[in-house]
Amino acid sequence: MESPVGAAPEREQIRSTVAEPSRPPRSIRPRPPVRAWLQPAVISLIVAAAFISCYVGLQRDPQPHQVPIAVAAPLVPGAIHEALGDTVEVHPAADAGAARQAVKGHDVVAALSADGSDGLRLEIAGADGTSTTSAVKTLVGAYAHGAGKRVTTDDVVPFTHFDTRGLAGFYMAFGVTLSGFVLGSNALGLAGLLHLRHRFWLLAGASVAIGTLAAIIAGPVLGAVPAPVAPLVVTLTLLAAAAAFTTKLLGTYLGPVGVPVATLLLLTVGNATSGATIGADLLPTAARTVSALLPPGAAVRAVTDLSYFDGAHAAGPVITLALWACVAAFLLALRPRLRRRRTEVAA
């Protein structure tokens, strides 16, 4: 039987309809907000400007400011202070032995005493850093030249043989700070995988591992940091914990901006003002103020005291590190309660 007229074209139309499935409508992506473009660029520019300003700016023209010097009788402390002004802070000493002991106890950075009728003896603590001791030698040399006296210099607290430039403590503190920062940054992404207390255990346990590893490598293995191992491990563990918990805290409370803020605080300002590459007594007033309060600066001071001055003034910096770690951990633990209270108030 023949097909009715028009049936063949109809079948062809159906076949073509089956053969060519309908295309889904093209999705229209919304235009990204301006903030998505600006925020990463602005943050990176701020970090670059801060890093260069701190590291290059602080080393541009370091000036001594109230550098502590012990002056032994029969020299007249008042005359030396009058000649050198506010660049030094004169500490009178009964004799040359007492002045030398003040240097070895890290109460002063140098001791000045008479050396015969026409000479001066300058005893320095090289472990205080090349920039500081060079500034002291320049100041005393200028004073001696004006007084017509010769100067004999003796380093009574030199650096260890494997750290002749005195930078091992700084690099070690920088490495531990960086490790703690990376640890805290990575912990920010674990909120959906680990309970808060488990994240705390992770940060604390990894900080102990970082501090122990750094102390063993820089101390017994390389011999560049002559501090006793146990106190050094405690100091570096607290530094790692301070960096990790602080980074986690800033990222938790500030969101995406928190990690760049931690970068500026710990890795940029903290390390630049730590007093290792430029002595704390040569820093500008603002930098000198924050130097001992930030974890890297506190750690460098503690490591120096433990390594060369029998830990004479290490307690203060160690307490500073412990406070950073403990306060940051406390505020992190408080965060869930604050969120629950905010939710209850909103409801």
Side-chain angles (χ1 to χ4, degrees):
M1 181 179 297
E2 295 183 0
S3 301
V5 180
E10 184 178 352
R11 283 197 298 270
E12 291 296 328
Q13 184 178 1
I14 294 173
R15 189 179 297 112
S16 64
T17 304
V18 174
E20 297 181 6
S22 61
R23 295 180 182 179
R26 181 180 299 178
S27 60
I28 300 176
R29 294 183 179 180
R31 179 176 296 179
V34 177
R35 178 181 177 183
W37 294 87
L38 286 181
Q39 182 171 300
V42 171
I43 289 175
S44 61
L45 289 173
I46 291 174
V47 171
F51 190 93
I52 295 170
S53 298
C54 287
Y55 277 92
V56 178
L58 292 178
Q59 299 182 61
R60 184 180 58 174
D61 186 27
Q63 296 293 332
H65 179 75
Q66 293 187 339
V67 180
I69 298 177
V71 176
L75 297 179
V76 181
I80 295 175
H81 185 272
E82 183 178 353
L84 300 180
D86 290 335
T87 58
V88 297
E89 181 182 290
V90 176
H91 295 243
D95 52 34
R100 185 182 308 111
Q101 195 58 41
V103 175
K104 293 183 176 181
H106 211 196
D107 297 317
V108 297
V109 301
L112 188 62
S113 58
D115 187 18
S117 58
D118 61 344
L120 297 173
R121 176 172 294 277
L122 177 64
E123 295 174 306
I124 60 173
D128 273 313
T130 304
S131 60
T132 300
T133 54
S134 296
V136 170
K137 287 188 283 187
T138 300
L139 291 172
V140 173
Y143 168 76
H145 179 74
K149 296 179 180 293
R150 56 180 176 80
V151 180
T152 302
T153 303
D154 184 21
D155 189 351
V156 296
V157 189
F159 285 118
T160 183
H161 173 69
F162 295 105
D163 184 28
T164 55
R165 297 181 61 195
L167 295 177
F170 166 74
Y171 287 124
M172 182 179 63
F174 183 89
V176 172
T177 304
L178 179 60
S179 298
F181 168 80
V182 172
L183 174 63
S185 301
N186 280 276
L188 286 169
L190 299 177
L193 300 175
L194 296 177
H195 191 273
L196 180 62
R197 66 174 180 273
H198 295 150
R199 278 175 276 153
F200 270 47
W201 281 112
L202 171 64
L203 294 179
S207 295
V208 173
I210 292 170
T212 303
L213 181 66
I216 291 175
I217 291 176
V221 175
L222 299 179
V225 179
V229 174
L232 187 60
V233 167
V234 172
T235 300
L236 297 181
T237 294
L238 290 174
L239 173 60
F245 279 101
T246 299
T247 302
K248 180 75 165 64
L249 172 71
L250 293 173
T252 300
Y253 276 81
L254 301 182
V257 183
V259 173
V261 171
T263 303
L264 291 173
L265 182 68
L266 299 172
L267 301 180
T268 304
V269 178
N271 282 302
T273 62
S274 62
T277 54
I278 297 295
D281 297 308
L282 277 66
L283 292 173
T285 303
R288 191 167 55 251
T289 300
V290 303
S291 176
L293 299 178
L294 295 178
V300 169
R301 283 164 172 75
V303 170
T304 300
D305 272 302
L306 291 170
S307 298
Y308 298 103
F309 300 99
D310 297 324
H313 299 283
V318 170
I319 292 173
T320 299
L321 293 172
L323 285 174
W324 273 92
C326 293
V327 171
F330 172 76
L331 292 176
L332 278 171
L334 196 63
R335 175 70 169 175
R337 296 184 181 180
L338 294 177
R339 294 181 64 180
R340 284 196 300 269
R341 185 175 300 176
R342 190 177 306 168
T343 302
E344 293 173 358
V345 171

